[in-house]
Amino acid sequence: MELAIPVEQWSGAVGTVTLGATAEQGGTRRRTLTLGGESTLPFLRLEGAIPNPPALAMEVLDASPEKWPEPLRAPFGNVLDDPAAWAVKCVEEFGADAIVLRLVSADPQGQDASPEQCAETVRRVLQAVSVPLIIWGCGDNDKDNLVMPACSQAAAGERCLLGTAVQENYKTITACALADGHLVISEAPLDISIQKQVNILLTEQGLPLDRIVMYQVTGALGYGVEYAYSILERTRLAALTGDKMLSMPMLSVVGSEAWKAKESWLDEPKWGALERRGILWEAATAALFLHAGSHLLVMWHPEALRLVRAMLTALQPA
Amino acid sequence: MALTAIEVYKHLPKSNCGKCGVPTCLAFAMKLVQKQASLDQCPEVTEETKQALEGSAAPPMATVTIGAGDRAVQIGGETVLFRHEETFHHPCALAVRLSSSLPPAQLAAGIERVEGCRYDRVGMLLGVDLLALEDAGDGSLAEAAQMAAERSSLPLVLMSTDPQAMGAALEHCGAGRPLLYGATAANLDAMVALAKQWDCPLALCATDLHELVALSERAGQAGYGKLLLDSGAKSLSQLLNDQTIIRRAALNKKFKPFGFPTVAVCAAEDPAAQMLEAITAVAKYAGVVIVDPLPDEYLLPIVTARLNVYSDPQKPIQVEAGMHEVGEPTPESPVLVTTNFSLTYYLVEGDVMASKVPAHVLAVDTEGTSVLTAWAAGNFSAESIAEAMNKFALAEKVAHRALVLPGGVAVLKGKLEELSGWEVVVGPRESSGIPLFFRQRGWVPR
Ligand code: B12
Ligand code: SF4
């Protein structure tokens, strides 16, 4: 019998989204980052193009992460209480494709930083690095609605990715993105119909498809990753079979999920060397998201990023 | 994949004689596809029809058993390309390979280590399933196989392309039905003969997909069907592409030569790269994944990834709802409430155990969902907790009236106190905070 290579004829493709704007485009980024564009399944070379490899962003918190375990703090030295210096290290030393600035300081339960303070941090980080910036709110809807407009303005023209728009709270952030030339993260709680619904809400407000990145709440390896895995696979298949409203690139949060897992920090000799465990847990979690179809991973540990980068290289055809 | 009743009906005699126990051939066909009847209940069916129907009803991918006895593992028999379409049925087997030329003491230590690679996770023991012995080509395989058969309860994988070495090793461990890895274009006939003689599964080791088709057809012609496939992929990219082609050809095209589970040998030098290679193989269709004796911190993510990818997307793993005892609690011991999602329950149980304070844990039936998921869905509410407290007679099991609530659902406190009459104590958000929480409350180990 002759083997006929079983190719699929997909009717659709993943859309592309470009983060960051250069000087000619009205921003100050020296690099932009294009996500998506595939007309095939992840890393599969049988039936379609993969114009842009998945990208790896690193996350910077605007308040020093007191609870981070030692193996996670170690590579950062003394920059963890300076978001701008932290971001520089991620880009220059660790090779991050983009920076996620997470505005944890805005949390009303915590430091409750003012919108102006957050905007100032945004300005400083933008000045310090030349890669695209992802600005992520603290998760408190009311506070984010105050913080995001200030940050968006401070970054006007930079084509930043703003997060996150959820079903119950999407209007302010979308308006900011439209006013200042940014993109939006559309978030849903592991539910494909809600994801589609949020995407529709954003587009109805006037945001074009090529300015939306999808984010389904994630779980770490061993802690619900399988749900996210299947949601990502189903979303990719929906894009390939022509569902435009689910065709945007997808983002996955890896670092914060993976380091929450006990396996990353608990002193348990049966599980092997503690200094490596969190790094490997993060890299393993990332690998699953990539195979499920994610386009942009938000990483914490530089060594995990390096391992995943090497895996991406190995997944390029020879 | 499976035939429809109409397709089956076309093959039946269409005489509606009723001898099969139902009035018409069509009714019988319907019973057949629902697996409520078997073909031999129809006395009129011809031998040809039998073959035609059995052939097309055969599953598109064979299920293959490696090993014998308690620890034998079944792989293959998969029916879908994506887990959400149904589920993946047989978790891939993880093998750790040791070189046959290791000095005896080291080999013994290696075997002991592989044997002990078992990790307790959410009430299950996860670990390595197979012990692979790689022929160093120096005549050492037979002795290594002898030692492995004596010292290990794990089914073996014999990795050799030398039929003579394989035959000698089988003399020591053949009864355990090891996986023979494997048959190449050069040795296929001899390997098939050994596989037949010892009734062992046989892996076909090709250099590319086309050669793999040829090997599979030759094995088929030789009348052997307990096969595994290795396309000989040289890179991670090729591994993923080959595995996908094999799975698609078997399932979507019913391409018989590929209707078997696959083997992926992970060989990246850097242990972390090898771990990611193994996770790629787990996610993308391998039936057996062979790795080096990696340290525990590398094996644990691999077995966890396998657990996740192979879990049933339709029904989460659950524990029995009701009162569970951790340690040996007395009526004075603390009572905690959580859900019956096994991940949630066992994390809580593990952390209570770590505190060394014996306790009662009430698992509320949330249809196997986590605390916040169940809370969001409305089935971990003040009402459902109060109901479970009654149903499982909490008041009779303990002398005090204080219940510890997960910190994530602190909002339920007021309503639950009202409904139950108990004092509700808000615990930490993460169960890992339980030991400290107990100490702060003055609940100390007995
Ligand atoms: C996987 C998942 C799902 C899976 C279900 C998995 C399952 N079997 O439960 C699916 C996809 C089905 C799902 C569905 C939904 N989900 Co959901 N899901 C998650 C996810 C990603 C992980 C949950 C998980 O498994 N956690 C791990 C377990 C072990 O955590 P846990 O049970 O909370 O236990 C911990 C603590 O609570 C504590 N603890 C537990 N018991 C006890 C007891 C005591 C005494 C103490 C002290 C501590 C303690 O210790 C444990 C370990 O730290 C989370 C987000 C996240 N990353 O956490 C969202 C999340 C829980 N889901 C959410 C939502 C909204 C939903 C949906 C309602 C969405 C929708 N509309 O479809 C549905 C509802 C489902 C339904 N209708 O049945 C929200 C809840 C938001 C909120 N706070 O209200 C979350 C937080 C996501 C989000 N940020 O939006 N979900
Ligand atoms: S016994 Fe056979 S021929 Fe007779 S009705 Fe049943 S299926 Fe038809």
Side-chain angles (χ1 to χ4, degrees), chain A residues 1-2 6 8 43-47 221-223 225-226 229-230 233-234 262-263 265 271-273 276-277 280-281 283-284 291 307 314-317, chain B residues 82-84 119 121 213 217 236-237 240-241 244-245 248-249 252 255 272 275-276 279-280 283-284 297-298 300 304-305 308 311 316 343 347 351 432:
Chain A
M1 251 186 250
E2 253 318 293
E8 298 282 350
F43 312 111
L44 198 66
R45 310 282 167 175
L46 309 177
E47 56 215 7
L221 176 64
Y223 297 83
V225 75
E226 67 272 37
Y229 186 88
S230 283
E233 277 198 329
R234 287 171 57 198
K262 255 186 178 173
E263 285 79 354
W265 50 263
W271 292 345
R276 301 279 299 161
R277 251 197 267 132
L280 296 170
W281 210 258
H291 287 308
L307 296 173
L315 284 165
Q316 293 291 324
Chain B
F82 302 101
R83 58 188 290 285
H84 66 260
Y119 312 99
R121 187 178 171 82
V213 177
E217 287 184 323
L236 195 60
S237 169
L240 181 143
N241 281 271
T244 307
I245 291 172
R248 277 187 183 178
N252 299 351
F255 184 65
M275 175 193 84
L276 294 175
I279 288 174
T280 300
K284 293 293 167 177
E297 65 271 24
Y298 297 86
L300 188 60
T304 311
N308 288 162
S311 64
L343 178 60
L347 285 171
D351 290 317
S432 51

Coordinates of all heavy atoms in Angstrom, one line a residue, chain A residues 1-2 6 8 43-47 221-223 225-226 229-230 233-234 262-263 265 271-273 276-277 280-281 283-284 291 307 314-317, chain B residues 82-84 119 121 213 217 236-237 240-241 244-245 248-249 252 255 272 275-276 279-280 283-284 297-298 300 304-305 308 311 316 343 347 351 432:
Chain A
M1 N 0.8 -1.2 0.0 CA 0.0 0.0 0.0 C 0.9 1.2 0.0 O 1.9 1.3 0.7 CB -0.9 0.0 1.3 CG -2.3 -0.3 1.0 SD -3.3 0.0 2.5 CE -3.7 -1.7 2.8
E2 N 0.5 2.2 -0.8 CA 1.2 3.5 -0.8 C 0.6 4.4 0.3 O -0.6 4.4 0.5 CB 1.1 4.2 -2.1 CG 2.3 4.2 -3.0 CD 3.6 4.4 -2.3 OE1 3.8 5.6 -1.8 OE2 4.4 3.5 -2.2
P6 N -2.0 12.2 4.9 CA -3.4 12.6 5.2 C -3.4 14.1 5.5 O -3.2 14.5 6.7 CB -3.8 11.8 6.4 CG -2.6 11.4 7.0 CD -1.5 11.4 6.1
E8 N -5.3 17.9 5.8 CA -6.7 18.5 6.0 C -6.8 19.7 5.1 O -5.8 20.5 5.0 CB -6.9 18.8 7.4 CG -6.8 17.7 8.4 CD -8.1 16.9 8.4 OE1 -9.1 17.3 7.8 OE2 -8.1 15.8 9.0
F43 N 2.7 23.7 14.9 CA 4.0 23.0 14.4 C 3.8 22.0 13.4 O 4.7 21.2 13.1 CB 4.7 22.4 15.6 CG 4.8 23.4 16.8 CD1 4.1 23.2 18.0 CD2 5.6 24.5 16.7 CE1 4.2 24.1 19.0 CE2 5.7 25.4 17.7 CZ 5.0 25.2 18.9
L44 N 2.6 21.9 12.8 CA 2.4 20.8 11.8 C 2.7 21.4 10.4 O 2.2 22.5 10.0 CB 0.9 20.4 11.9 CG 0.6 19.1 11.2 CD1 1.3 17.9 12.0 CD2 -0.9 18.8 11.3
R45 N 3.5 20.7 9.7 CA 4.0 21.2 8.4 C 3.4 20.6 7.2 O 4.0 20.6 6.1 CB 5.5 21.0 8.3 CG 6.3 21.5 9.6 CD 6.4 23.0 9.6 NE 6.8 23.5 10.9 CZ 7.1 24.7 11.2 NH1 7.0 25.7 10.3 NH2 7.5 25.1 12.4
L46 N 2.2 20.0 7.3 CA 1.7 19.2 6.2 C 0.8 20.0 5.3 O 0.7 19.7 4.1 CB 0.8 18.0 6.8 CG 1.4 17.2 7.9 CD1 0.4 16.1 8.3 CD2 2.7 16.5 7.3
E47 N 0.2 21.0 5.8 CA -1.0 21.5 5.0 C -1.1 23.0 5.1 O -2.1 23.5 4.6 CB -2.2 20.9 5.6 CG -2.4 21.1 7.1 CD -3.0 20.0 7.8 OE1 -3.2 18.9 7.1 OE2 -3.3 20.1 9.0
L221 N 0.2 22.9 34.9 CA 0.4 21.5 34.8 C 0.0 20.9 36.2 O 0.4 21.3 37.2 CB 1.9 21.2 34.6 CG 2.3 19.8 34.5 CD1 1.7 19.0 33.4 CD2 3.8 19.6 34.4
G222 N -0.9 19.9 36.1 CA -1.4 19.2 37.3 C -2.5 20.0 38.0 O -3.0 19.5 39.0
Y223 N -2.8 21.2 37.6 CA -3.8 22.0 38.3 C -4.8 22.6 37.3 O -5.0 23.8 37.2 CB -3.2 23.1 39.1 CG -2.3 22.5 40.2 CD1 -1.0 22.1 39.9 CD2 -2.8 22.3 41.5 CE1 -0.2 21.6 40.9 CE2 -2.0 21.8 42.5 CZ -0.7 21.4 42.2 OH 0.0 20.8 43.2
V225 N -4.6 22.2 33.8 CA -4.1 22.6 32.5 C -4.9 21.9 31.4 O -5.0 22.4 30.3 CB -2.6 22.3 32.4 CG1 -2.3 20.8 32.3 CG2 -2.0 23.0 31.3
E226 N -5.4 20.7 31.7 CA -6.1 20.0 30.7 C -7.3 20.7 30.1 O -7.7 20.6 29.0 CB -6.5 18.5 31.1 CG -7.5 18.4 32.2 CD -6.9 18.5 33.6 OE1 -5.9 19.3 33.8 OE2 -7.4 17.8 34.5
Y229 N -6.0 23.4 27.9 CA -5.5 22.7 26.7 C -6.5 22.4 25.7 O -6.4 22.7 24.5 CB -4.8 21.4 27.2 CG -4.1 20.6 26.1 CD1 -2.7 20.8 25.9 CD2 -4.7 19.6 25.4 CE1 -2.0 20.1 25.0 CE2 -4.0 18.8 24.5 CZ -2.7 19.1 24.3 OH -2.0 18.4 23.3
S230 N -7.6 21.9 26.1 CA -8.7 21.5 25.2 C -9.4 22.8 24.7 O -9.8 22.8 23.5 CB -9.7 20.5 25.8 OG -9.1 19.3 25.8
E233 N -7.2 24.1 21.9 CA -7.3 23.2 20.7 C -8.6 23.5 20.0 O -8.6 23.6 18.8 CB -7.2 21.7 21.1 CG -5.8 21.2 21.3 CD -5.7 19.7 21.2 OE1 -6.7 19.0 21.6 OE2 -4.6 19.2 20.8
R234 N -9.7 23.6 20.8 CA -11.0 23.8 20.1 C -11.0 25.1 19.4 O -11.6 25.3 18.4 CB -12.1 23.7 21.1 CG -12.3 22.2 21.6 CD -13.3 22.2 22.7 NE -14.6 22.8 22.4 CZ -15.4 23.2 23.4 NH1 -15.2 23.0 24.7 NH2 -16.6 23.8 23.0
K262 N 2.4 23.5 44.0 CA 3.2 23.0 45.1 C 4.5 22.4 44.6 O 5.6 22.5 45.2 CB 2.5 21.8 45.7 CG 1.8 22.0 47.0 CD 1.3 20.7 47.5 CE 0.7 20.8 48.8 NZ 0.0 19.5 49.2
E263 N 4.5 21.7 43.5 CA 5.7 21.1 42.9 C 6.8 22.1 42.7 O 7.9 21.7 42.6 CB 5.3 20.4 41.6 CG 4.5 19.1 41.8 CD 3.1 19.3 42.0 OE1 2.6 20.5 42.2 OE2 2.3 18.3 42.1
W265 N 7.6 24.7 44.6 CA 8.2 25.3 45.8 C 8.3 24.5 47.1 O 9.0 24.8 48.0 CB 7.5 26.7 46.2 CG 6.0 26.6 46.3 CD1 5.1 26.9 45.3 CD2 5.2 26.1 47.4 NE1 3.8 26.6 45.7 CE2 3.9 26.2 47.0 CE3 5.6 25.7 48.7 CZ2 2.8 25.8 47.9 CZ3 4.5 25.3 49.5 CH2 3.2 25.4 49.1
W271 N 10.4 14.5 45.2 CA 10.1 15.1 43.9 C 11.3 15.6 43.2 O 11.3 16.3 42.1 CB 9.1 16.3 44.0 CG 7.7 15.9 44.4 CD1 7.2 14.6 44.4 CD2 6.7 16.7 44.9 NE1 5.9 14.6 44.8 CE2 5.6 15.9 45.2 CE3 6.6 18.1 45.2 CZ2 4.3 16.4 45.7 CZ3 5.4 18.6 45.7 CH2 4.3 17.7 45.9
G272 N 12.5 15.4 43.8 CA 13.7 15.8 43.1 C 14.2 17.2 43.5 O 13.6 17.8 44.5
A273 N 15.2 17.7 42.8 CA 15.9 18.9 43.3 C 15.0 20.1 43.2 O 14.5 20.5 42.2 CB 17.1 19.1 42.4
R276 N 15.5 23.2 40.7 CA 15.2 23.1 39.3 C 13.6 22.9 39.1 O 13.1 23.1 38.0 CB 15.8 21.8 38.7 CG 17.3 21.8 38.7 CD 18.0 22.6 37.6 NE 17.6 22.2 36.2 CZ 17.8 23.0 35.2 NH1 18.2 24.2 35.3 NH2 17.5 22.6 34.0
R277 N 13.0 22.5 40.2 CA 11.6 22.0 40.0 C 10.6 23.0 39.4 O 9.9 22.8 38.5 CB 11.0 21.5 41.3 CG 10.9 20.0 41.3 CD 10.0 19.5 42.4 NE 10.8 19.2 43.6 CZ 10.5 19.6 44.8 NH1 9.4 20.5 45.0 NH2 11.2 19.3 45.9
L280 N 11.3 23.7 35.7 CA 10.8 22.6 34.9 C 9.3 22.6 34.8 O 8.7 22.3 33.8 CB 11.4 21.3 35.4 CG 12.9 21.2 35.3 CD1 13.4 19.9 36.0 CD2 13.4 21.2 33.8
W281 N 8.7 22.9 36.0 CA 7.2 22.9 36.0 C 6.7 24.0 35.0 O 5.7 23.8 34.3 CB 6.7 23.1 37.4 CG 5.4 22.5 37.7 CD1 4.1 23.1 37.7 CD2 5.1 21.1 37.9 NE1 3.2 22.2 37.9 CE2 3.7 21.0 38.0 CE3 5.9 20.0 37.9 CZ2 3.1 19.7 38.2 CZ3 5.3 18.7 38.1 CH2 4.0 18.6 38.3
A283 N 8.4 25.3 32.4 CA 8.7 24.9 31.0 C 7.7 23.9 30.5 O 7.2 23.9 29.4 CB 10.1 24.4 30.9
A284 N 7.4 22.9 31.4 CA 6.5 21.8 31.0 C 5.1 22.4 30.8 O 4.4 22.0 29.8 CB 6.4 20.7 32.1
H291 N 1.6 23.3 22.4 CA 1.1 22.2 21.6 C -0.4 22.3 21.4 O -1.0 21.8 20.5 CB 1.4 20.8 22.2 CG 2.9 20.5 22.0 ND1 3.5 20.5 20.7 CD2 3.9 20.1 22.8 CE1 4.7 20.2 20.9 NE2 5.0 20.0 22.1
L307 N 14.6 27.3 28.0 CA 14.2 25.9 27.6 C 13.1 25.9 26.6 O 13.2 25.1 25.6 CB 13.8 25.1 28.9 CG 14.9 24.9 29.9 CD1 14.3 24.3 31.2 CD2 16.0 24.1 29.4
A314 N 13.7 23.5 18.1 CA 13.6 22.1 17.7 C 12.4 21.7 17.0 O 12.3 20.7 16.2 CB 13.8 21.2 19.0
L315 N 11.4 22.6 17.1 CA 10.1 22.3 16.4 C 10.1 23.0 15.0 O 9.1 22.8 14.3 CB 8.9 22.8 17.2 CG 8.6 21.9 18.4 CD1 7.6 22.6 19.4 CD2 7.9 20.6 17.9
Q316 N 11.1 23.7 14.7 CA 11.3 24.2 13.3 C 11.7 23.1 12.4 O 12.5 22.2 12.8 CB 12.4 25.3 13.3 CG 12.1 26.6 14.0 CD 11.0 27.4 13.3 OE1 10.9 27.4 12.1 NE2 10.1 28.0 14.2
P317 N 11.2 23.0 11.2 CA 11.6 21.9 10.3 C 13.1 22.1 10.0 O 13.6 23.2 10.0 CB 10.8 22.1 9.0 CG 10.3 23.5 9.1 CD 10.3 23.9 10.6
Chain B
F82 N -8.2 14.5 18.9 CA -8.2 15.5 20.0 C -9.0 15.0 21.2 O -10.1 14.5 21.0 CB -8.9 16.8 19.4 CG -8.2 17.3 18.2 CD1 -8.8 17.0 16.9 CD2 -7.1 18.0 18.3 CE1 -8.1 17.5 15.8 CE2 -6.4 18.5 17.1 CZ -6.9 18.2 15.9
R83 N -8.5 15.2 22.4 CA -9.1 14.6 23.5 C -10.5 15.1 23.8 O -11.4 14.4 24.3 CB -8.2 14.8 24.8 CG -7.9 16.3 25.1 CD -6.9 16.4 26.3 NE -7.4 15.9 27.6 CZ -8.3 16.7 28.3 NH1 -8.7 17.8 27.9 NH2 -8.7 16.2 29.5
H84 N -10.8 16.4 23.3 CA -12.2 16.9 23.6 C -13.3 16.2 22.8 O -14.4 16.2 23.0 CB -12.3 18.4 23.3 CG -12.0 18.8 21.9 ND1 -10.8 19.3 21.5 CD2 -12.8 18.8 20.8 CE1 -10.9 19.5 20.2 NE2 -12.1 19.2 19.8
Y119 N 5.1 8.4 42.1 CA 4.8 9.6 42.7 C 3.3 9.6 43.1 O 2.5 9.3 42.3 CB 5.1 10.8 41.8 CG 6.5 10.7 41.2 CD1 6.6 10.2 39.9 CD2 7.6 11.0 41.9 CE1 7.9 10.1 39.3 CE2 8.9 10.9 41.4 CZ 9.0 10.5 40.1 OH 10.2 10.3 39.5
R121 N 0.0 11.2 43.7 CA -0.6 12.4 43.3 C -2.1 12.3 43.3 O -2.6 11.4 42.7 CB -0.1 12.8 41.9 CG -0.6 14.2 41.5 CD -0.2 14.7 40.2 NE -0.9 15.8 40.0 CZ -0.7 17.0 40.5 NH1 0.4 17.2 41.1 NH2 -1.5 18.0 40.3
V213 N 5.8 1.8 6.5 CA 4.6 1.1 5.8 C 5.1 -0.3 5.3 O 4.4 -1.3 5.6 CB 4.2 1.9 4.5 CG1 3.1 1.2 3.8 CG2 3.7 3.3 5.0
E217 N 3.7 -3.9 6.5 CA 3.1 -4.9 5.6 C 3.8 -6.2 5.7 O 3.1 -7.3 5.6 CB 3.1 -4.3 4.2 CG 2.1 -3.2 4.1 CD 2.0 -2.6 2.7 OE1 3.0 -2.5 2.0 OE2 0.8 -2.3 2.3
L236 N 12.6 16.9 16.7 CA 11.3 17.1 17.4 C 10.2 17.5 16.4 O 9.1 17.0 16.5 CB 11.4 18.2 18.5 CG 10.3 18.3 19.5 CD1 10.2 17.0 20.3 CD2 10.6 19.4 20.5
S237 N 10.6 18.3 15.4 CA 9.6 18.7 14.4 C 9.1 17.5 13.7 O 7.9 17.3 13.5 CB 10.3 19.7 13.5 OG 9.5 19.9 12.3
L240 N 6.7 15.2 15.8 CA 5.4 15.7 15.9 C 4.6 15.4 14.5 O 3.5 15.0 14.5 CB 5.4 17.1 16.3 CG 4.0 17.8 16.4 CD1 4.1 18.8 17.6 CD2 3.6 18.5 15.2
N241 N 5.3 15.7 13.4 CA 4.7 15.5 12.1 C 4.4 14.1 11.8 O 3.3 13.7 11.4 CB 5.5 16.2 11.0 CG 5.3 17.7 11.0 OD1 4.4 18.2 10.3 ND2 6.1 18.5 11.8
T244 N 1.6 12.7 13.9 CA 0.3 13.1 13.5 C -0.1 12.4 12.2 O -1.3 12.0 12.0 CB 0.3 14.7 13.2 OG1 0.8 15.3 14.4 CG2 -1.1 15.2 12.9
I245 N 0.8 12.2 11.3 CA 0.5 11.5 10.1 C 0.0 10.1 10.4 O -1.0 9.6 9.8 CB 1.7 11.5 9.1 CG1 2.0 12.9 8.6 CG2 1.5 10.5 7.9 CD1 3.3 13.0 7.8
R248 N -3.5 10.2 12.0 CA -4.5 10.6 11.0 C -4.8 9.5 10.0 O -5.9 9.2 9.7 CB -4.1 11.8 10.3 CG -4.4 13.1 11.0 CD -4.0 14.2 10.0 NE -4.2 15.6 10.6 CZ -3.9 16.7 9.9 NH1 -3.4 16.6 8.7 NH2 -4.1 17.8 10.4
A249 N -3.7 8.9 9.5 CA -3.8 7.8 8.5 C -4.6 6.6 9.1 O -5.5 6.1 8.5 CB -2.5 7.4 8.0
N252 N -8.5 8.4 10.3 CA -9.3 9.0 9.3 C -9.3 8.3 8.0 O -10.3 8.4 7.2 CB -8.8 10.5 9.0 CG -8.9 11.3 10.2 OD1 -9.5 10.9 11.2 ND2 -8.4 12.5 10.2
F255 N -5.9 3.4 7.3 CA -4.7 2.9 6.6 C -4.2 1.8 7.5 O -3.5 2.1 8.5 CB -3.8 4.1 6.4 CG -2.5 3.7 5.7 CD1 -2.6 3.3 4.3 CD2 -1.3 3.8 6.3 CE1 -1.4 3.0 3.6 CE2 -0.1 3.5 5.6 CZ -0.2 3.1 4.3
A272 N 16.5 18.6 30.3 CA 15.3 19.4 30.2 C 14.7 19.4 28.8 O 13.5 19.3 28.6 CB 15.6 20.9 30.6
M275 N 13.0 16.2 28.6 CA 11.7 16.2 29.2 C 10.7 16.9 28.3 O 9.6 16.4 28.1 CB 11.8 17.0 30.5 CG 10.5 17.3 31.2 SD 10.6 18.5 32.5 CE 10.4 20.0 31.5
L276 N 11.1 18.0 27.6 CA 10.1 18.6 26.7 C 9.8 17.8 25.5 O 8.7 17.8 25.0 CB 10.6 20.0 26.3 CG 10.7 21.0 27.5 CD1 11.4 22.3 27.1 CD2 9.4 21.3 28.1
I279 N 7.3 15.3 26.7 CA 6.0 15.9 26.9 C 5.3 16.1 25.5 O 4.1 15.9 25.3 CB 6.1 17.2 27.7 CG1 6.3 16.8 29.2 CG2 4.8 18.0 27.6 CD1 6.6 18.0 30.1
T280 N 6.1 16.5 24.5 CA 5.6 16.6 23.1 C 5.1 15.2 22.7 O 4.0 15.1 22.1 CB 6.7 17.0 22.2 OG1 7.2 18.3 22.6 CG2 6.3 17.1 20.8
A283 N 1.8 14.5 24.4 CA 0.6 15.2 23.9 C 0.3 14.8 22.5 O -0.9 14.8 22.1 CB 1.0 16.7 23.9
K284 N 1.3 14.5 21.7 CA 1.1 14.2 20.3 C 1.2 12.7 20.0 O 2.1 12.3 19.2 CB 2.0 15.0 19.4 CG 1.7 16.5 19.5 CD 0.3 16.8 18.9 CE -0.1 18.2 19.3 NZ -1.4 18.6 18.7
E297 N 12.9 15.3 39.3 CA 12.3 16.6 38.9 C 12.0 16.7 37.4 O 11.2 17.6 37.0 CB 13.1 17.8 39.4 CG 14.5 17.9 38.8 CD 15.6 17.2 39.5 OE1 15.3 16.2 40.2 OE2 16.8 17.6 39.4
Y298 N 12.6 15.8 36.6 CA 12.2 15.8 35.2 C 11.1 14.8 34.9 O 10.3 15.0 34.0 CB 13.5 15.4 34.4 CG 14.6 16.4 34.5 CD1 15.5 16.4 35.5 CD2 14.7 17.5 33.6 CE1 16.5 17.3 35.7 CE2 15.7 18.4 33.7 CZ 16.6 18.3 34.8 OH 17.6 19.3 34.9
L300 N 8.7 13.8 37.0 CA 7.4 14.2 37.6 C 6.6 15.1 36.6 O 5.4 14.8 36.4 CB 7.7 15.0 38.9 CG 6.4 15.3 39.7 CD1 5.7 14.0 40.1 CD2 6.8 16.1 41.0
T304 N 2.9 13.8 35.1 CA 1.8 14.7 35.3 C 1.1 15.1 34.0 O -0.1 15.2 33.9 CB 2.2 15.9 36.2 OG1 3.0 15.5 37.3 CG2 1.0 16.7 36.7
A305 N 2.0 15.5 33.0 CA 1.4 15.9 31.7 C 0.6 14.7 31.2 O -0.5 14.9 30.6 CB 2.5 16.2 30.8
N308 N -2.8 14.5 32.8 CA -3.7 15.6 32.4 C -4.2 15.3 31.0 O -5.4 15.4 30.7 CB -3.0 16.9 32.4 CG -2.8 17.4 33.9 OD1 -2.0 18.3 34.1 ND2 -3.5 16.9 34.8
S311 N -6.7 12.5 30.9 CA -7.9 12.5 31.8 C -9.1 12.7 30.9 O -9.1 13.2 29.8 CB -7.8 13.7 32.8 OG -7.8 14.9 32.1
P316 N -14.7 14.7 35.5 CA -13.5 14.9 36.4 C -13.4 13.8 37.4 O -14.4 13.2 37.8 CB -13.8 16.3 37.1 CG -15.3 16.6 36.8 CD -15.7 15.8 35.6
L343 N -8.7 16.5 42.7 CA -7.6 17.4 42.8 C -7.7 18.2 44.1 O -6.8 18.3 44.9 CB -7.5 18.2 41.6 CG -6.3 19.3 41.5 CD1 -5.0 18.6 41.7 CD2 -6.4 20.1 40.2
L347 N -5.4 17.7 47.6 CA -4.5 18.8 48.1 C -4.8 19.1 49.5 O -3.9 19.3 50.3 CB -4.7 20.0 47.2 CG -4.1 19.9 45.8 CD1 -4.5 21.1 44.9 CD2 -2.6 19.8 45.9
D351 N -2.4 18.6 52.8 CA -1.9 19.6 53.7 C -2.3 19.4 55.1 O -1.6 19.8 56.0 CB -2.4 21.0 53.1 CG -1.6 21.3 51.8 OD1 -0.4 21.1 51.8 OD2 -2.3 21.8 50.8
S432 N -2.3 25.0 51.2 CA -0.9 24.9 51.8 C -0.8 25.8 53.0 O 0.2 25.6 53.8 CB 0.1 25.3 50.7 OG -0.2 26.6 50.1

